[in-house]
Amino acid sequence: FHNKLLPPPLEGEYDVRIPVTPAGLMLNVGEVKGSVAFLGYRRMSDGSPGPSEIKRLVRNNGDIIIAVNGQSVVGKSFSQVIPHLKGVLTFAHLRFAAGNSLAKNGLTSSCGTLGKFLYDDIVTECKKDR
């Protein structure tokens, strides 16, 4: 899955489509070193795993959320990101940067200011070469 509102994911990034349940996205997220990170899956009220956990949609604890529904959340606080996650009706489209990747600080990610600049520059250069 690739969200067409964003440039293609860079190395260490991945897009997921998280289903919304009556109890929400069933993800635990929190602020870690100035970014909002995935901290684990939440269980359904009966103790069973939610659909995201069953399909293992988010790869690792500590992976950083860098976009929600096509909008960058790089540099935003936990309290600024949560409304984006709660305003979803059926699916949330999230882009993550692996917690151990170079993009984890956000700026060099596909959704960060430097990453967007680099991507646009590469596309322009490729068009010139053709």
Side-chain angles (χ1 to χ4, degrees):
F1 164 78
H2 166 66
N3 189 315
K4 303 287 188 240
L5 298 174
L6 298 171
L10 299 175
E11 185 174 340
E13 299 177 2
Y14 60 99
D15 292 334
V16 294
R17 192 169 168 231
I18 305 283
V20 177
T21 72
L25 298 174
M26 307 312 292
L27 304 177
N28 285 319
V29 298
E31 197 160 334
V32 177
K33 297 181 182 177
S35 297
V36 178
F38 171 71
L39 302 177
Y41 292 103
R42 286 185 18 232
R43 292 290 177 124
M44 304 297 281
S45 59
D46 65 1
S48 65
S52 298
E53 183 177 6
I54 290 169
K55 294 179 182 178
R56 305 296 300 167
L57 295 177
V58 184
R59 295 178 185 167
N60 297 299
N61 289 358
D63 286 357
I64 306 298
I65 299 172
I66 58 173
V68 177
N69 295 327
Q71 294 185 325
S72 173
V73 294
V74 170
K76 296 191 185 234
S77 69
F78 178 79
S79 61
Q80 292 171 307
V81 174
I82 291 301
H84 292 279
L85 296 173
K86 289 191 174 188
V88 178
L89 298 176
T90 54
F91 288 92
H93 301 271
L94 305 179
R95 177 165 293 172
F96 287 90
N100 62 356
S101 74
L102 293 176
K104 70 181 177 185
N105 71 2
L107 293 177
T108 57
S109 73
S110 61
C111 300
T113 51
L114 183 57
K116 286 180 187 176
F117 171 76
L118 292 172
Y119 174 77
D120 291 342
D121 194 43
I122 289 168
V123 168
T124 301
E125 288 302 313
C126 287
K127 286 180 181 178
K128 284 181 189 176
D129 289 344
R130 290 187 179 188

